[in-house]
Amino acid sequence: MNWKQKSVIQNVTASLPRWLGSKIYYQMQRRFGKLGTADPRSRLEAGLRMLRYAEREGKAIEGSTVVEVGTGHRMNVPIALWLIGAARICTYDLNPYLRARLVLDDVAYMRANEQKIFDVFGDVAERAIFQKRWHRLMDMHVNADNFKHAFNVEYHGPGDAAKTGLADNSADLHVSFTVLEHISAAVLGSIMAEARRILKVDGLFIHHIDFTDHFAHADNTITHVNFLQFNEPTWMKLGGNRFMYMNRLRVDDMTALVLNANLEILHDDRLVDDRSLEALNSDLVVDAQFRNKSAETNATARQWVVARVLQDETVAA
Ligand SMILES: C[S@@+](CC[C@H](N)C(=O)[O-])C[C@H]1O[C@@H](n2cnc3c(N)ncnc32)[C@H](O)[C@@H]1O
């Protein structure tokens, strides 16, 4: 779909009373968008990648308490974490988007496609905890009343990840998948400070950020850096509505926020998009706020950032 048409539809829908706009937008996403079909694999892969990072740092997920920022409509990252052994998954979303119907469809997909799910998890699918939980997933009577409890999920929606209400030093992992790009820099600072407070001494902060212009996901006539040409007021008119809001922070800004929160970066895995790089190196004129950044920085499409809490003595040193 042409991105400008999508922007108009989103803005009109967002101007309706909140309950009505949300209902209409959800139905549109079900009919024409990403909520129309169930295929949980990309989020299960994300959960697996979180496990790989944790294990590289000597941290087990089995028995762990995980805090997730930005649940969204489905629960596939929490289900992946449950399958690989998490004991408690506390997930927060400012907007109560989670839908039982979608989660049940995802569970039905997993049950009907056992081999595809095992292929996602590879050798991890052979572990005793995975096998135990997989059999439970296959056998359990999961329904709209018990679907959160069945996967050890505590859902806080509406719930603000900047104010979790969890105890100090109580979380093993603090995670998100394609969420931080939708939150303002000021609020991100508060969420990171909260992560620092609730993470255990050996806890890990593991986040995946998608820096691309999300309008380009459904319109391949524009590049993933198309939105960098607009100044802030123009961009807010086009994509500042509650369905699309993107902070347009670049990978260097996000990394600086993590460091400013006194988190020590252990892994910083970036993917630069070639088509964006080509556009930036030829005719795309970006807004002044992006002009002093390198083309690689502006064209970074994705980042996995893994960090741990700097302890007070390390901060002081
Ligand atoms: C792109 S969506 C979620 C994507 C989901 N994680 C997935 O994998 O598909 C981003 C979510 O972050 C939520 N969000 C924004 N600010 C938040 C905050 N301060 N605390 C918790 N959730 C927040 C939004 O309501 C939205 O549902």
Side-chain angles (χ1 to χ4, degrees), residues 34-46:
K34 60 180 183 194
L35 299 183
T37 47
D39 185 349
R41 285 178 293 175
S42 64
R43 269 52 182 182
L44 299 179
E45 277 163 15

Side-chain angles (χ1 to χ4, degrees), residues 98-263:
L98 186 64
R99 290 287 175 278
R101 175 76 268 141
L102 298 176
V103 177
L104 298 179
D105 285 353
D106 288 329
V107 171
Y109 177 99
M110 292 184 222
R111 285 177 170 161
N113 293 280
E114 185 172 44
Q115 193 52 51
K116 285 185 181 167
I117 303 305
F118 283 12
D119 287 347
V120 167
F121 286 95
D123 58 308
V124 172
E126 290 160 24
R127 294 185 186 180
I129 183 71
F130 185 99
Q131 285 293 320
K132 187 170 152 202
R133 293 207 166 165
W134 180 258
H135 288 122
R136 206 185 298 167
L137 182 147
M138 291 300 268
D139 295 340
M140 64 173 60
H141 291 289
V142 60
N143 57 40
D145 294 325
N146 71 2
F147 73 99
K148 296 171 220 159
H149 180 69
F151 298 110
N152 300 354
V153 169
E154 294 168 27
Y155 178 59
H156 301 266
D160 186 352
K163 297 182 199 113
T164 61
L166 295 171
D168 292 1
N169 307 315
S170 58
D172 295 285
L173 304 179
H174 186 273
V175 307
S176 74
F177 188 73
T178 64
V179 170
L180 303 191
E181 68 271 22
H182 296 288
I183 301 178
S184 71
V187 176
L188 283 178
S190 308
I191 290 177
M192 289 178 193
E194 179 72 346
R196 199 181 131 70
R197 182 186 73 75
I198 61 178
L199 275 170
K200 293 180 182 172
V201 172
D202 66 345
L204 292 171
F205 174 94
I206 309 179
H207 294 262
H208 171 273
I209 304 112
D210 177 350
F211 294 101
T212 63
D213 180 344
H214 288 18
F215 280 128
H217 298 180
D219 182 351
N220 64 12
T221 65
I222 57 171
T223 68
H224 286 171
V225 286
N226 187 60
F227 62 173
L228 301 188
Q229 64 190 293
F230 305 113
N231 62 26
E232 203 56 22
T234 307
W235 171 244
M236 282 299 110
K237 279 187 200 139
L238 292 164
N241 65 74
R242 65 192 168 90
F243 300 119
M244 177 55 89
Y245 173 76
M246 287 200 68
N247 53 37
R248 295 193 298 167
L249 293 175
R250 300 290 83 199
V251 66
D252 57 338
D253 306 314
M254 192 61 80
T255 306
L257 278 174
V258 176
L259 294 172
N260 286 342
N262 279 330
L263 294 161

